[in-house]
Amino acid sequence: MTELGAQPHPSRPADPEAERPRPRRRREVDTDQLELAGTRLHEPQRVAASWKGMVSTAHYAATAAGARMLEQGGNAVDAAVAAALALGVCEPAASGLGGQTMMLVHHRASGTTVAVDGSSRAPHRAVIDTFANLSADRRRGHLATTVPSSPATYAHVLERYGRLSWATVIEPAIVLAEEGYEISLLQHRLARRERKHLQTRSAGPLFLQDGRRAHRAGTRFRQPVLAATLRRLAERGHEDFYLGLTARLIHEDMEANGGILRADDLAQIPRPVEREPLSGRLGRDDVLTMPPPGAGRTLVEMLNIHQSLPRGLQDIDTPDGAVCLAKSIRQALIDRRDRPFDPNLYSQVSDKQMLNRQYARTVAARIGAPHAHGETTHLSVMDSDGNAVALTQSIENVYGSCAASPQLGFLYNNYMSAFEYEDASHPYHLRPNAVPWASVAPTIVLRKGAPWLAIGSPGSERIASSILQVLIRLRSSSPLAAVDAPRLHCSLHGVASVEASRVSTDVLDALQRHGFDVDRRDPYSFYLGCVQLVMNDGGRLIGVADPRRDGAADGPDSAPSSGRG
């Protein structure tokens, strides 16, 4: 049996840090902690085990929704969709009906694993001349929104692979919106950070207290407007979102607020495309991950480079190992930026260099030589029948476009910011009906042909590096310890972001000595991803939720686990 590992030390409430490195400031009084005096917040169960199924998500209420589907006889797909719908309610800053969803599904009956590409689409009227202020309009407000694809993706996988009805699977999300959930300290801080943008956009009255202030941590947040929208979809089917009353309300809201999304865009329902997953190796195990427009090839390249390093440089907790890890991450990000392609026009790329092991060995040899010098959410599910789902979904940035219809209650995405606007030859250059490129990498690892691990993370370009480090650590660490361990990421520009107080100073010194700018992040940093995993340990399913956010793991008849299996 695999050791589960000890429960991590309670993490400091994560601070949703800015994307760029910032100078260290004098520590100020934590007003959040003063506000919380006498308030007892919910403590999620970070690790659990069950023989009957397991769900791990970024919010405990969504985990409970997924576990409930398993208890009602649903399979991993039913549980994943219920959890995804619930995340749109209780983690609205990260995903929802107005976003897009991608996933890997391992279907035990057929023995196949498919990548479900639920990309959103640019509206038919999307041309660059539409944006008077390109930098602002494509990031926030109604103009920033692509055609939401999550409802269509949910319905597709339920119909094809699920057991339960659409109405059954959506019910937990309805109840959650009606009855509300407890605002976490992380959610309070996210809302406070984005308050100015929310106040000036139509989402403010829905997601801020009195339209002005972030809801205090510990208060109950109810969303009756969203509950009504979800109930209508439950009664009329997902088609209402694209062809019915919901579609009409979206059209009218966009028309009234300068958006370009219209009824004819919605009527061309963005059905997901099933693709063959990209494959790589982790020792003797098969790694299956998301193909373009996702970023699974970035993860495969990172794995290939790391496994091609000399054994002495594969320990990422040593100074030399950390330097090699940073170089591997940076090289894979550079290669992805240099080699974009549209999955529907794969022939435009002459080879698959990012997936080539010989190329990885060449990079590893160069890295190993001595030298002196976008918000998202993820969930993972397995059931007792051998089905597995790794699902990542997003509305792009935190709170998406910060725009929402007061008659619908969900945030619109801002995926217009994920297109290329300058190079007309770029595969993801903005054009009508184009798909944005994404950084998601939902992943399933097969051991002897059966799902051993379902894993993924949010975090924009930090997604692949977060998953990579957990996969590396799973060779010698318990699942919880692998997720809990300190993280590092290196940007395209050579900035190494590190949970500095959790690593040794010689690691920080080595990174600086090799020319990296060290960005010292807080312990359990929001910035460095949020891995949700489920592992099959000889039939016992172990779930781990990353302590960096509000996640939890749970399953039918599950038990908290903190010792050995």
Side-chain angles (χ1 to χ4, degrees), residues 75 108-109 163 383-387:
N75 63 14
R108 176 68 178 85
R163 294 176 186 163
D383 62 32
S384 58
D385 294 328
N387 301 300

Side-chain angles (χ1 to χ4, degrees), residues 420-445:
E420 166 63 35
Y421 283 77
E422 296 180 1
D423 180 4
S425 67
H426 194 287
Y428 297 100
H429 187 260
L430 179 66
R431 62 188 186 282
N433 208 39
V435 301
W437 65 344
S439 300
V440 301
T443 299
I444 293 176
V445 181

Side-chain angles (χ1 to χ4, degrees), residues 78-152:
D78 300 308
V81 173
L85 283 160
L87 281 171
V89 178
C90 58
E91 199 191 21
S95 69
L97 295 174
Q100 69 176 35
T101 301
M102 297 187 181
M103 69 183 86
L104 256 65
V105 177
H106 180 83
H107 187 231
R108 176 68 178 85
S110 63
T112 59
T113 305
V114 297
V116 182
D117 174 5
S119 295
S120 60
R121 310 282 195 275
H124 295 127
R125 297 159 186 80
V127 293
I128 294 177
D129 292 344
T130 304
F131 300 89
N133 186 335
L134 183 59
S135 62
D137 290 345
R138 65 177 177 171
R139 289 186 63 83
R140 295 186 178 90
H142 289 71
L143 265 178
T145 303
T146 57
V147 184
S149 55
S150 288

Side-chain angles (χ1 to χ4, degrees), residues 222-236:
R222 295 179 175 86
Q223 300 170 82
V225 176
L226 178 57
T229 298
L230 290 166
R231 190 164 294 284
R232 182 168 60 250
L233 295 179
E235 295 170 352
R236 303 182 184 182

Side-chain angles (χ1 to χ4, degrees), residues 57-369:
T57 83
H59 196 281
Y60 58 88
T63 296
R68 178 177 166 189
M69 295 301 103
L70 295 176
E71 291 167 350
Q72 293 181 4
N75 63 14
V77 172
D78 300 308
V81 173
L85 283 160
L87 281 171
V89 178
C90 58
E91 199 191 21
S95 69
L97 295 174
Q100 69 176 35
T101 301
M102 297 187 181
M103 69 183 86
L104 256 65
V105 177
H106 180 83
H107 187 231
R108 176 68 178 85
S110 63
T112 59
T113 305
V114 297
V116 182
D117 174 5
S119 295
S120 60
R121 310 282 195 275
H124 295 127
R125 297 159 186 80
V127 293
I128 294 177
D129 292 344
T130 304
F131 300 89
N133 186 335
L134 183 59
S135 62
D137 290 345
R138 65 177 177 171
R139 289 186 63 83
R140 295 186 178 90
H142 289 71
L143 265 178
T145 303
T146 57
V147 184
S149 55
S150 288
T153 305
Y154 300 151
H156 172 86
V157 295
L158 275 179
E159 179 179 355
R160 186 153 185 150
Y161 303 108
R163 294 176 186 163
L164 303 179
S165 69
W166 168 256
T168 299
V169 169
I170 202 172
E171 183 63 24
I174 296 171
V175 174
L176 189 58
E178 288 176 339
E179 297 183 357
Y181 67 92
E182 182 184 88
I183 293 288
S184 70
L185 183 54
L186 171 61
Q187 290 180 331
H188 167 76
R189 287 180 163 173
L190 284 171
R192 191 177 65 180
R193 190 188 82 177
E194 301 297 324
R195 179 176 54 194
K196 291 182 180 179
H197 300 299
L198 290 167
Q199 284 175 335
T200 57
R201 304 292 180 183
S202 56
L206 290 169
F207 295 97
L208 295 176
Q209 184 177 347
D210 302 323
R212 296 183 295 112
R213 301 188 304 274
H215 290 278
R216 289 183 57 181
T219 59
R220 182 159 290 273
F221 179 50
R222 295 179 175 86
Q223 300 170 82
V225 176
L226 178 57
T229 298
L230 290 166
R231 190 164 294 284
R232 182 168 60 250
L233 295 179
E235 295 170 352
R236 303 182 184 182
H238 79 284
E239 292 89 351
D240 185 81
F241 190 94
Y242 300 100
L243 300 169
L245 175 57
T246 305
R248 180 167 64 81
L249 293 173
I250 293 173
H251 173 96
E252 292 172 355
D253 185 51
M254 287 286 167
E255 196 170 43
N257 291 280
I260 55 175
L261 180 60
R262 293 290 187 272
D264 57 349
D265 296 303
L266 294 162
Q268 190 176 347
I269 300 175
R271 309 280 185 191
V273 178
E274 292 195 2
R275 305 189 186 279
E276 182 178 351
L278 295 181
S279 61
R281 298 286 289 179
L282 178 64
R284 297 181 179 181
D285 300 325
D286 296 307
V287 177
L288 303 179
T289 188
M290 195 73 201
R297 62 196 180 122
T298 311
L299 174 61
V300 171
E301 180 176 344
M302 289 178 185
L303 275 171
N304 287 344
I305 295 172
H306 180 80
Q307 293 177 110
S308 299
L309 291 167
R311 182 70 64 181
L313 297 179
Q314 292 187 21
D315 185 349
I316 60 178
D317 291 317
T318 65
D320 289 342
V323 169
C324 289
L325 174 66
K327 291 181 178 181
S328 300
I329 294 168
R330 186 183 187 193
Q331 185 61 53
L333 292 176
I334 290 171
D335 288 342
R336 180 172 187 257
R337 178 65 61 86
D338 289 345
R339 292 178 161 267
F341 62 86
D342 185 326
N344 299 307
L345 299 172
Y346 197 91
S347 59
Q348 69 184 275
V349 180
S350 60
D351 58 39
K352 300 180 182 180
Q353 179 165 301
M354 289 186 69
L355 309 179
N356 187 284
R357 292 189 187 180
Q358 182 56 51
Y359 172 71
R361 285 192 284 270
T362 301
V363 173
R366 184 170 73 244
I367 288 174

Side-chain angles (χ1 to χ4, degrees), residues 4 7 45-49 553-554 557-563:
L4 290 180
Q7 188 76 19
Q45 181 62 43
R46 305 293 188 185
V47 58
D554 196 11
D557 299 327
S558 69
S561 299
S562 58

